[in-house]
Amino acid sequence: MIGKCKAVGGSSAGIIYLFQDKQDPTKERGYELDRNMLIGETPNSIISELKEWNNDNAKQLKNQVFSMVLAPAGEDGKKLSDAQLLQLSKEFVANTLNVDIIKTPYYMRIHDDTKNKHVHIYLPRTDQNGKTISDKYCQYRAIDTADELAKKYSLTRAKEIQQDKIEKLDIDKKELKNTVSNALHNSTSFADFRKKLADKGVQINPTINKQGNIQGYRIKNEKADFKASEINRNITLSKIDTVFEQNAQRIAQEQSQTRKIGIRR
C-alpha cells in the first residue's frame, strides 16, 4: 500500500487532470468512488466548493486543499472491490490528517488506466470548526498510515515491494558484473571490449558532460543500468586503457608460452 499527501493551491489544471483521459482529452478519466458534502458535477465546481469551505478559516491559506493518493501495491488493486477501496481511503484520510471523515467534505476518484489502480482524494485545509488542518509532515504520515493499513488488512506493504526490487537489482547487478569482468579480462581494446559485451546483450555507452567531453561510461542490459564504475572499478577514463595494455601483454605472453610448449612437444 502506497500513500501520498500534499497541500496544494487547488488550481483548475490540477483537478482537470483528475478527470481528463491521458490519451483523449475529450474522454473522462476513471470514475467517481465517493464524495461527501459536495454537489458540483464539473471539476471546477468541485474544487470551488472545497476551497469555499476555507472561508470560515481566519487564516489566508496559500495551499487551500489536500491532494492525496492511496495506491494498493502489487496485485492488490485488482483484487480489492470499490467498497473495500472506499473503506481504506476513508481510514487513510482520517488517520493521516486526524480528521472526522464524516464531517469532512471530500472527493474521491479512481484511476484504473495505469498499472496499479489507485484512488485520488481531494479535501479542504479547514475542518468543521474552521481550524486549519495541518500539512506538517503529511507526506510522511501518509506513508506510515498506508503501511499500517496494509498490515491491518494483510495487504502488500510498499516496503515489501521495495525490498523485492532491491533483491532483484542485486541479482541483476551480480550477473552483469560477472559478464563485464569476463569480457574486460579478455579484451585488448575498447572496440574489442564493446564487441564482447554486445555479444552478451550488454551495452557500454559514454556519458558526455556539458562541454561535450566523455566523463565516464554506463553499462546496461535489458534488466539493469549502472555507472560502469559500480560494475567494475577498472572501467574509468583513467584506468581502462591501462587494463587493455596489460591484457595485451598478458595474452601475448600466454600465446608465446603456448607456442614454446608446442615446439617442445
Side-chain angles (χ1 to χ4, degrees), residues 67-78:
S67 173
M68 306 177 73
V69 179
L70 184 65
E75 297 294 310
D76 291 343
K78 299 175 183 178

Side-chain angles (χ1 to χ4, degrees), residues 1 6 26-27 33-34 40 42-43 54 63 74 77 79 91 103 105 128 141 145 187 197 201 213 223 227 250:
M1 186 76 70
K6 61 180 178 180
T26 64
K27 293 182 179 179
L33 176 63
D34 194 36
T42 66
N54 295 317
N63 295 321
K79 302 173 185 176
E91 290 189 47
K103 298 178 181 178
Q128 70 272 20
R141 296 201 306 269
T145 300
S187 298
L197 289 180
N213 300 318
K223 296 180 181 179
K227 287 174 61 177
R250 172 179 52 79

Side-chain angles (χ1 to χ4, degrees), residues 34-259:
D34 194 36
R35 64 168 67 201
N36 190 44
M37 304 167 68
L38 300 173
I39 61 173
E41 291 300 328
T42 66
N44 283 333
S45 62
I46 290 170
I47 200 69
S48 292
E49 282 187 70
L50 292 173
K51 290 163 75 170
E52 285 173 8
W53 191 263
N54 295 317
N55 291 341
D56 292 333
N57 196 321
K59 297 181 179 180
Q60 295 294 317
L61 297 172
K62 179 181 178 181
N63 295 321
Q64 298 193 58
V65 298
F66 281 106
S67 173
M68 306 177 73
V69 179
L70 184 65
E75 297 294 310
D76 291 343
K78 299 175 183 178
K79 302 173 185 176
L80 293 169
S81 67
D82 284 358
Q84 290 171 319
L85 284 172
L86 177 57
Q87 178 61 35
L88 287 166
S89 298
K90 286 182 176 180
E91 290 189 47
F92 173 61
V93 173
N95 296 341
T96 298
L97 299 177
N98 193 29
V99 296
D100 184 344
I101 196 67
I102 297 175
K103 298 178 181 178
T104 301
Y106 61 75
Y107 184 84
M108 298 181 182
R109 192 170 189 85
I110 285 180
H111 282 177
D112 56 357
D113 59 346
T114 58
K115 183 178 179 181
N116 291 320
K117 185 177 182 180
H118 55 280
V119 184
H120 285 269
I121 308 160
Y122 274 74
L123 64 150
R125 287 284 314 283
T126 303
D127 66 16
Q128 70 272 20
N129 299 312
K131 303 296 184 182
T132 303
I133 302 171
S134 175
D135 65 340
K136 190 175 183 180
Y137 307 126
C138 79
Q139 175 55 39
Y140 300 107
R141 296 201 306 269
I143 292 170
D144 290 341
T145 300
D147 191 56
E148 289 166 4
L149 287 173
K151 287 189 287 185
K152 177 180 178 180
Y153 292 105
S154 300
L155 298 170
T156 305
R157 298 171 65 188
K159 292 178 181 178
E160 293 173 344
I161 295 290
Q162 187 63 29
Q163 185 59 39
D164 288 344
K165 288 181 178 179
I166 291 172
E167 290 175 0
K168 183 179 182 303
L169 190 62
D170 286 343
I171 293 172
D172 293 341
K173 187 175 184 180
K174 185 176 181 180
E175 291 177 353
L176 196 56
K177 277 186 174 183
N178 290 335
T179 299
V180 171
S181 294
N182 289 335
L184 183 63
H185 181 72
N186 296 296
S187 298
T188 57
S189 68
F190 191 82
D192 183 27
F193 180 46
R194 172 173 275 177
K195 183 179 184 307
K196 283 183 169 62
L197 289 180
D199 290 342
K200 297 293 184 180
V202 178
Q203 299 176 29
I204 179 167
N205 299 314
T207 54
I208 311 298
N209 60 24
K210 292 181 180 179
Q211 288 72 42
N213 300 318
I214 297 176
Q215 63 180 14
Y217 304 98
R218 292 198 71 85
I219 291 177
K220 63 181 292 187
N221 60 11
E222 60 181 9
K223 296 180 181 179
D225 184 347
F226 294 97
K227 287 174 61 177
S229 57
E230 295 179 273
I231 299 299
N232 191 304
R233 292 182 180 179
N234 285 322
I235 310 176
T236 63
L237 291 176
S238 61
K239 295 180 180 180
I240 195 165
D241 286 338
T242 301
V243 172
F244 293 142
E245 290 173 6
Q246 292 172 347
N247 286 348
Q249 293 173 5
R250 172 179 52 79
I251 291 171
Q253 289 174 356
E254 290 173 353
Q255 290 174 345
S256 176
Q257 291 173 357
T258 300
R259 284 195 296 270

